[in-house]
Amino acid sequence: MSSVIAATRFSVLDRSRTREGHDGPEALRDTVRLAQDVEALGFHRFWVSEHHGVPGVAGSAPTVLAAAVAAATRTIRVGTGGVMLPNHQSLVVAEQFGVLASLFPGRIDMGLGRSVGFTDGVRKALGRDKHDAADFATQLGELLDWFRGTSATGVRARPAEGLTVPPYVLAVGEGATIAAAAGLPLVIGDIRGREKMLRGIDQYRSGFRPSPWLAEPYVMIAGSVAVAESREAARRLLVPEAWSMAYSRTHGTFPPLLPAERVESLTMTEKERGFYESGLTGHVHGTEEQVADELERVIKDSGAQEVLVTTSTYDRAGLLDSFRRLARVAGLAA
């Protein structure tokens, strides 16, 4: 096994994707079961996501789901990838993570993002608009103040104040600069967009300022990784998500995942086909040997300390087999 891969942490983000013929509650239960499975395989942390009003995603309340995951596991770190700060009052977010960290000490991560809703309707329902993301740096500072007991309001966040809940900033572009200025770990995706990802990482490292939270830059790269007995079998694991993304780009809504064989039998428009084929490119996928080679390259190029695997697919057995194979590639201790 590569020494580069052996020195890297591997973690999982599950978005509680709904599947055709399977409802949202089942997707949430699948998330909890997957957390138990990847804990047994030796993965470092397990995160859940926040989406609102999206037919294809059941995970709308990440801190609630994180509590269920933490209660069902024993050792794996549990967190959010992420709580979208512009959607919430910082005091409430601090209180929620304070409760989580009090119930599951030493195991909770606070992954934070700057997105505000998938559509205008969702943003309106949340009482937000797309410009609220511009205040993310201020919102982040306010949130961290609650844990330090330095809020300008004079109010105390209980039980958050005085607790150390590691914060992480989820970024695509500008977020890298915000993470650097705040002295926080950076979670950056997507592995598919290598050049853009590497530029963001360079920007983060060059602008990093040590903070009470972190002395040196810490980079977690995120993206889909699919491992199977053959490259084609690994590619088929990526098919349902690629079609779901293509559908969302052409119809404006993010649908439940279809089985790969259903997707492959669809008659697509030229535009849909273009988005679909594009959605299948750039992912780390293949046999264990092929994935090991590709992971070594991307880890060397990025200097990342951790890989956050975000793979979603219809085939739950295939997904778990992919994680088993990845655990072998990474040399994880079960």
Side-chain angles (χ1 to χ4, degrees), residues 94-330:
E95 289 171 337
Q96 290 174 345
F97 278 100
V99 170
L100 281 170
S102 299
L103 292 173
F104 309 101
R107 292 181 58 205
I108 300 301
D109 299 323
M110 186 168 58
L112 306 163
R114 62 194 293 266
S115 296
V116 279
F118 188 65
T119 64
D120 288 338
V122 170
R123 289 190 286 270
K124 183 177 180 181
L126 291 169
R128 299 291 187 270
D129 65 50
K130 59 185 177 182
H131 303 295
D132 287 323
D135 294 328
F136 180 67
T138 300
Q139 295 158 353
L140 181 62
E142 290 174 352
L143 174 62
L144 299 182
D145 282 343
W146 290 116
F147 289 92
R148 292 187 292 241
T150 55
S151 170
T153 66
V155 176
R156 315 295 283 272
R158 307 185 190 279
E161 186 176 318
L163 295 179
T164 300
V165 184
Y168 295 77
V169 174
L170 279 64
V172 176
E174 184 184 347
T177 303
I178 294 171
L184 298 180
L186 174 70
V187 184
I188 188 165
D190 184 354
I191 285 175
R192 295 175 62 216
R194 285 311 150 80
E195 292 185 8
K196 182 178 181 181
M197 182 184 76
L198 294 176
R199 285 197 301 271
I201 292 171
D202 288 344
Q203 189 176 25
Y204 167 70
R205 289 203 175 101
S206 64
F208 181 84
R209 298 205 300 249
S211 73
W213 302 95
L214 191 66
E216 297 179 349
Y218 188 92
V219 174
M220 192 188 312
I221 55 174
S224 293
V225 179
V227 199
E229 61 185 6
S230 68
R231 190 169 181 83
E232 179 56 30
R235 182 182 182 276
R236 293 193 84 238
L237 288 175
L238 302 170
V239 162
E241 186 71 28
W243 168 245
S244 188
M245 291 296 294
Y247 189 93
S248 73
R249 297 288 297 274
T250 52
H251 294 78
T253 186
F254 203 68
L257 297 173
L258 299 178
E261 56 269 21
R262 278 279 314 282
V263 175
E264 292 166 342
S265 69
L266 293 173
T267 300
M268 301 182 193
T269 66
E270 183 177 348
K271 189 174 184 180
E272 288 172 339
R273 176 66 63 179
F275 283 128
Y276 171 66
E277 295 293 346
S278 174
L280 286 171
T281 63
H283 302 285
V284 176
H285 73 287
T287 64
E288 292 177 33
E289 293 77 12
Q290 290 168 330
V291 166
D293 289 344
E294 182 64 18
L295 281 174
E296 182 170 17
R297 281 194 295 273
V298 71
I299 292 168
K300 280 183 176 178
D301 289 346
S302 64
Q305 289 98 330
E306 188 166 348
V307 176
L308 182 66
V309 182
T310 63
T311 314
S312 297
T313 191
Y314 182 92
D315 180 1
R316 300 298 294 187
L319 180 64
L320 181 55
D321 180 64
S322 177
F323 281 123
R324 286 196 190 101
R325 292 173 183 271
L326 178 58
R328 287 200 291 269
V329 169

